Amino acid sequence: DAGVIQSPRHEVTEMGQEVTLRCKPISGHNSLFWYRQTMMRGLELLIYFNNNVPIDDSGMPEDRFSAKMPNASFSTLKIQPSEPRDSAVYFCASSFRQRGMRGNDTEAFFGQGTRLTVV
Amino acid sequence: KQEVTQIPAALSVPEGENLVLNCSFTDSAIYNLQWFRQDPGKGLTSLLLIQSSQREQTSGRLNASLDKSSGRSTLYIAASQPGDSATYLCAVRNTGFQKLVFGTGTRLLVSP
């Protein structure tokens, strides 16, 4: 497997524009996570999905952020409108949890990230 | 609310030294703990995963231990090499939740 694939790797956009980040999780994984990394705040969870359903979106900063997972192999994180303070590296990660078995989460694997710069 | 702390924030050692990185967490009701390394400008690479029922895991020169009751984990790196230079992050997954809560990391520099 190629691992978690994110695109684009780099994105530079002007304030006010819409930005869409994409993620393809590892085949067979049923949990998907979006994280944001900044120097000031480190790694923060934005949202995670289990079996394509959003479970916890409490980390989404505000209504400008939205995430979807239309199927098991694809997810998007959208920022509309973008602002300079959204500049960060956005990571997608995936793992597998067996249904009904507590504690048996597999390792989480991360993509290479998307470095977003909003000017 | 789970909080994860890593000490030291930065560490510089000469090549060949054995070293220990520390991770502590406030809520001991965890599912598992995972250690990652991150190279500058890159993503996170998983190093070791320890389930809550385990005491330690080993992979090559790396050994991670877990003491749930005291809320601590250590990552031991034997015979350090310049290629080990990176930021090391620990993350815990709490009971009932799937998300990983990350520490702030330890930036390691191994000099030749």
Side-chain angles (χ1 to χ4, degrees), chain A residues 11-113:
Chain A
E11 177 81 36
V12 180
T13 190
E14 290 186 349
M15 182 174 64
Q17 295 298 306
E18 177 180 295
V19 176
T20 300
L21 311 181
R22 297 173 176 79
C23 176
K24 176 178 166 54
I26 291 174
S27 177
H29 281 187
N30 58 4
S31 297
L32 184 139
F33 309 82
W34 282 101
Y35 281 86
R36 177 171 68 176
Q37 187 177 39
T38 61
M39 289 291 293
M40 291 297 295
R41 300 171 70 95
L43 273 158
E44 303 174 284
L45 178 70
L46 300 176
I47 185 171
Y48 74 89
F49 296 84
N50 185 240
N51 294 321
N52 310 338
V53 176
I55 302 299
D56 182 356
D57 65 356
S58 59
M60 297 286 261
E62 48 199 273
D63 292 346
R64 297 184 298 106
F65 285 68
S66 62
K68 293 183 179 180
M69 192 163 186
N71 57 61
S73 59
F74 184 66
S75 176
T76 59
L77 178 67
K78 186 176 293 187
I79 308 172
Q80 165 66 19
S82 58
E83 297 181 3
R85 60 193 168 119
D86 301 330
S87 298
V89 181
Y90 291 80
F91 287 104
C92 176
S94 71
S95 65
F96 179 75
R97 169 174 277 203
Q98 291 181 300
R99 192 171 296 171
M101 297 187 70
R102 294 167 63 84
N104 280 359
D105 288 88
T106 66
E107 286 175 88
F109 292 91
F110 280 69
Q112 290 297 298

Side-chain angles (χ1 to χ4, degrees), chain B residues 3-77:
Chain B
E3 292 183 2
V4 182
T5 305
Q6 291 187 247
I7 295 173
L11 182 62
S12 183
V13 300
E15 182 178 5
E17 273 203 11
N18 302 325
L19 56 98
V20 174
L21 307 181
N22 297 293
C23 172
S24 61
F25 44 94
T26 55
D27 185 350
S28 61
I30 65 169
Y31 265 164
N32 56 40
L33 182 146
Q34 197 166 348
W35 282 93
F36 296 86
R37 73 173 275 168
Q38 185 175 28
D39 294 281
K42 303 288 179 123
L44 280 70
T45 300
S46 178
L47 297 173
L48 290 163
L49 172 73
I50 309 179
Q51 299 290 357
S52 59
S53 58
Q54 298 175 319
R55 297 285 293 188
E56 65 179 281
Q57 281 285 343
T58 298
S59 176
R61 294 182 295 107
L62 305 179
N63 176 275
S65 67
L66 174 64
D67 184 343
K68 247 182 58 170
S69 60
S70 66
R72 292 180 187 176
S73 175
T74 60
L75 180 67
Y76 175 82
I77 303 177

Side-chain angles (χ1 to χ4, degrees), chain B residues 76-99:
Chain B
Y76 175 82
I77 303 177
S80 58
Q81 302 171 357
D84 295 330
S85 298
T87 295
Y88 290 80
L89 295 150
C90 74
V92 300
R93 197 180 246 133
N94 269 54
T95 302
F97 298 92
Q98 293 174 264
K99 67 180 184 182

